[in-house]
């Protein structure tokens, strides 16, 4: 006997539930109401988004759970906090309150780190500073399994999430400030990668509520010009890298000149370049440590 057809006009259908939620989210100013509504319903039903059209009916209990999540999303709680996970390149990360939610644009920086690790030798050494959820470190360890990967995080709450995500990956996770981390590796690292805080303190009003009100402050704010953490990274990377080693760091789209300028000004680096994201906005810088033993190198 064939299954009864799904009635998309029924108030218990997945489509009707999504359309109602989409209206709520749109009125609340959520940037992607259709996508978020579908993701939340799929999460409640335990199916993929592609499987939603096959759902014959949404029960009253499921509808109530869905509505509760929609209301939280309308209050601008991050979608990933509500579903408990975030996809990043080829891995799935557990995320929630206390950890920075990895963004799709950071996948480009992670991809750069993967490429550099593959090119570095038989057993490349990679350090991910300000690891947060562990997204970049886990991507490198997954895609370059021969690499020795180290991750550093200062925030104790974020460290809990990183520990969970990196368990069993082989990544060596350390708690501490990137400025003083991993002195035992000084001068031996092939690749340093970092998604540091880079938002100026006076940019509060311009930051989306999902980030401003829910991401940890340590992952967002970086002094009056947004470059305090990048300056610390420049010194730390020069200390950690072998001569000729490379560093990559994300920055705000308005820092396409000032962020690379931090590295150019020190005299420790060559091949200082900036790279755009898929939308053409300035997104991350890369640089190579000089091979000539420049006296300014932090050792």
């Amino acid at each position: 006997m064939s299954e009864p057809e799904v009635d998309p006009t029924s108030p218990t259908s997945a489509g009707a539930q999504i359309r109602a939620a989409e209206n709520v989210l749109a009125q609340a100013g959520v940037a992607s109401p259709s996508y978020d509504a579908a993701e939340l319903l799929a999460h409640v039903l335990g199916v993929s988004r592609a499987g939603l059209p096959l759902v014959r009916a949404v029960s009253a209990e499921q509808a109530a759970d869905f509505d509760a999540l929609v209301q939280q999303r309308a209050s601008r709680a991050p979608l990933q906090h509500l579903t408990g996970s975030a996809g990043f390149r080829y891995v799935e990360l557990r995320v929630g309150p206390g950890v920075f939610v990895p963004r799709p644009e950071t996948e480009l920086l992670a991809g750069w780190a993967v490429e550099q690790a593959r090119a570095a030798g038989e057993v490349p050494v990679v350090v991910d500073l300000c690891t947060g959820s562990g997204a970049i470190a886990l991507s490198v360890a997954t895609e370059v399994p021969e690499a020795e990967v180290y991750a550093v995080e200062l925030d104790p709450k974020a460290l809990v999430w990183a520990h969970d995500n990196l368990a069993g990956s082989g990544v060596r996770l350390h708690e501490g400030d990137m400025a003083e981390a991993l002195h035992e590796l000084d001068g031996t690292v092939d690749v340093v990668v970092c998604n540091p805080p880079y938002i100026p303190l006076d940019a509060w009003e311009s930051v989306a509520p999902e980030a401003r009100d829910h991401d940890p402050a340590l992952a967002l704010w970086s002094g009056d010009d947004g470059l305090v953490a990048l300056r610390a990274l420049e010194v730390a990377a020069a200390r950690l890298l072998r001569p000729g080693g490379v560093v990559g760091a994300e920055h705000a789209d308005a820092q396409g000149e000032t962020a690379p300028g931090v590295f150019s000004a020190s005299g420790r680096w060559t091949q200082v370049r900036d790279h755009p994201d898929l939308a053409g906005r300035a997104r991350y810088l890369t640089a190579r440590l000089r091979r000539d033993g420049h006296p300014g190198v932090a050792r």
Side-chain angles (χ1 to χ4, degrees):
M1 183 176 179
S2 62
E3 296 285 353
E5 292 186 4
V6 177
D7 179 5
T9 65
S10 168
T12 63
S13 75
Q17 293 285 322
I18 290 171
R19 287 191 294 274
E22 181 181 348
N23 290 333
V24 172
L25 297 180
Q27 291 176 12
V30 172
S32 52
S34 298
Y35 177 89
D36 290 20
E39 281 289 305
L40 290 174
L41 185 58
H43 173 69
V44 168
L45 300 180
V47 301
S48 67
R49 289 180 70 236
L52 287 173
L54 302 178
V55 175
R56 292 194 297 277
V58 178
S59 71
E61 181 179 0
Q62 290 169 331
D65 290 344
F66 177 53
D67 182 65
L69 290 178
V70 169
Q71 294 305 318
Q72 291 182 67
R73 184 68 186 102
S75 72
R76 307 304 289 273
L79 173 67
Q80 296 86 351
H81 283 194
L82 302 177
T83 63
S85 66
F88 188 87
R89 287 182 67 85
Y90 303 105
V91 301
E92 195 75 18
L93 299 151
R94 292 190 66 247
V95 295
V99 69
F100 183 81
V101 175
R103 271 52 169 182
E105 53 266 31
T106 306
E107 294 184 18
L108 296 174
L109 175 62
W112 171 87
V114 166
E115 292 173 0
Q116 296 301 315
R118 286 174 175 162
E122 293 184 2
V123 186
V125 180
V126 181
V127 172
D128 176 24
L129 300 173
C130 305
T131 195
S133 65
I136 296 177
L138 184 58
S139 291
V140 174
T142 300
E143 298 178 52
V144 194
E146 66 273 21
E148 290 184 5
V149 184
Y150 298 79
V152 177
E153 177 54 49
L154 177 62
D155 190 325
K157 292 181 179 179
L159 199 71
V160 173
W161 292 99
H163 185 274
D164 190 15
N165 286 321
L166 297 175
S169 68
V171 175
R172 304 173 196 184
L173 179 62
H174 296 259
E175 180 177 10
D177 189 328
M178 68 172 171
E180 296 299 329
L182 302 175
H183 274 282
E184 65 274 20
L185 297 180
D186 284 359
T188 68
V189 176
D190 297 296
V191 183
V192 170
V193 61
C194 183
N195 183 12
Y198 50 69
I199 302 176
L201 291 172
D202 63 2
W204 174 269
E205 293 298 332
S206 67
V207 178
E210 287 87 346
R212 184 186 66 209
D213 300 337
H214 297 277
D215 281 331
L218 277 176
L220 298 178
W221 314 108
S222 191
D224 291 340
D225 61 0
L227 298 174
V228 170
L230 272 172
R231 294 187 184 98
L233 170 64
E234 187 273 322
V235 176
R239 168 176 61 81
L240 288 165
L241 288 170
R242 60 170 174 77
V246 291
V247 60
E250 188 168 318
H251 57 69
D253 53 14
Q255 296 169 339
E257 294 184 3
T258 56
V262 169
F263 286 75
S264 297
S266 76
R268 293 191 266 256
W269 306 90
T270 64
Q271 301 175 28
V272 180
R273 298 170 182 163
D274 205 63
H275 305 264
D277 60 21
L278 296 178
R281 297 169 298 197
R283 182 53 56 197
Y284 69 97
L285 67 90
T286 60
R288 186 176 297 276
L289 188 64
R290 292 171 62 114
R291 298 178 183 272
D292 57 5
H294 188 279
V297 172
R299 287 280 184 255

